[in-house]
Amino acid sequence: MSDELYITGAGVSSASGIPTFRGEDGFWTIGSINYTPQEMATRQMYLNNPGQFLLWYFKRFIAYKDAKPNAVHKWLSKKKLITQNIDGLDAKAGNESYISIHGRLDKLVVYDDEMKLQTPINANWNEIDKNLNSDKLILSLFDKFKITKNTKFIPKFGFSLKPYVLLFDEMYTDIYRFSEAEEWMNMAKKMIFIGTSFSVNITSIALRIGISNNIPIEIIDPKPMKLNYPNIKYFEMSGEEYCKLKEGL
């Protein structure tokens, strides 16, 4: 595989109909009636109010479970890739080894110690009838996530399930292949960032490693954030335009 490392953000999936996280209709912009996304998408909220957490999560993310990969995902399918996106579209495009550093909405894990290694399982969201009213939908989600009368209707540590998604109050761990991602960053001879606002920790980590290793960096974005590093080339364009440029189309 190439020494080039691609790191992608939500801008890559916008052409597939998935809102960027911090746009006007973004996942982290739109909250619930009573809570901001930063309050809702937390491990603490899942423990204290699992019904509202799962209802918010299901409606917010699962609405896009049938989204299709676009031209950029397909172009990246044979590349060494770390994505911030949880939509799983890189897997649908055929990339078998990419790192989804923030998890995937089509997977679940056991609600357990964050540092405990485990293999995510398929979510099988089709088992849930999205047309149920809120009360019945919560009960259906409780059943799926193993939250029952026996667990006092709260997630039971080491038994219940949780979305395979890095929440705001969780750490990057090896459940999300963080050590492997760091290794890829340190081995990279070039980093290419596509469709990211650089507002997420993983991009800061990658930039710090890239700059420390004095490797060339490319940033692809219609309105890229300019950084104080001389070895950066900016491409003020969409990911699709960049792919066509690289293919000489």
Side-chain angles (χ1 to χ4, degrees):
M1 194 174 281
S2 170
D3 290 331
E4 294 182 338
L5 176 61
Y6 291 80
I7 300 174
T8 60
V12 167
S13 292
S14 59
S16 293
I18 297 179
T20 57
F21 271 55
R22 289 171 174 80
E24 289 184 3
D25 57 350
F27 288 128
W28 297 142
T29 304
I30 302 172
S32 70
I33 294 174
N34 299 312
Y35 301 98
T36 67
Q38 288 80 3
E39 293 170 321
M40 181 60 76
T42 64
R43 197 174 176 96
Q44 191 65 29
M45 180 63 74
Y46 183 42
L47 179 61
N48 292 332
N49 200 339
Q52 290 304 307
F53 172 96
L54 289 174
L55 187 64
W56 179 84
Y57 178 82
F58 184 82
K59 289 184 174 181
R60 188 68 63 234
F61 294 104
I62 307 311
Y64 301 98
K65 71 180 179 62
D66 295 323
K68 306 297 183 186
N70 61 51
V72 182
H73 297 115
K74 293 173 183 176
W75 188 78
L76 290 168
S77 64
K78 302 300 180 184
K79 310 294 186 184
K80 198 164 193 175
L81 170 67
I82 298 172
T83 187
Q84 302 164 59
N85 301 331
I86 65 170
D87 49 46
L89 294 181
D90 292 291
K92 291 181 180 180
N95 195 319
E96 297 179 354
S97 60
Y98 82 102
I99 294 176
S100 51
I101 198 68
H102 294 151
R104 281 172 54 171
L105 64 80
D106 60 346
K107 303 286 185 181
L108 305 176
V109 290
V110 176
Y111 174 65
D112 212 327
D113 188 305
E114 293 180 66
M115 302 303 293
K116 184 176 179 180
L117 285 177
Q118 53 177 304
T119 301
I121 61 174
N122 290 328
N124 296 321
W125 289 116
N126 290 330
E127 296 173 347
I128 302 291
D129 182 356
K130 63 182 179 182
N131 297 313
L132 293 172
N133 65 42
S134 292
D135 290 341
K136 290 183 178 179
L137 183 53
I138 287 173
L139 291 176
S140 185
L141 289 166
F142 272 4
D143 184 57
K144 184 170 191 62
F145 282 80
K146 298 184 179 181
I147 298 171
T148 67
K149 183 178 180 179
N150 289 336
T151 72
K152 298 181 181 180
F153 294 106
I154 60 173
K156 182 178 178 182
F157 206 67
F159 174 77
S160 299
L161 302 175
K162 72 170 283 284
Y164 177 53
V165 172
L166 184 71
L167 301 172
F168 280 110
D169 55 353
E170 292 183 321
M171 304 175 292
Y172 287 117
T173 68
D174 285 342
I175 293 177
Y176 301 99
R177 299 170 63 190
F178 181 66
S179 294
E180 190 176 358
E182 279 193 309
E183 183 179 347
W184 284 15
M185 292 173 194
N186 278 301
M187 291 176 60
K189 303 301 181 185
K190 182 180 183 180
M191 287 186 188
I192 303 99
F193 294 86
I194 307 179
T196 179
S197 65
F198 291 95
S199 58
V200 179
N201 260 350
I202 197 66
T203 50
S204 299
I205 294 168
L207 275 173
R208 185 176 69 247
I209 291 174
I211 291 171
S212 176
N213 291 342
N214 197 31
I215 62 173
I217 291 172
E218 292 183 359
I219 296 177
I220 297 88
D221 194 279
K223 296 180 180 179
M225 183 180 75
K226 299 300 175 69
L227 303 171
N228 186 25
Y229 175 59
N231 206 6
I232 292 182
K233 187 173 183 179
Y234 297 94
F235 294 82
E236 297 188 17
M237 59 182 64
S238 69
E240 186 173 3
E241 290 171 325
Y242 176 80
C243 295
K244 289 180 178 179
L245 177 68
K246 288 297 181 179
E247 293 299 317
L249 300 177

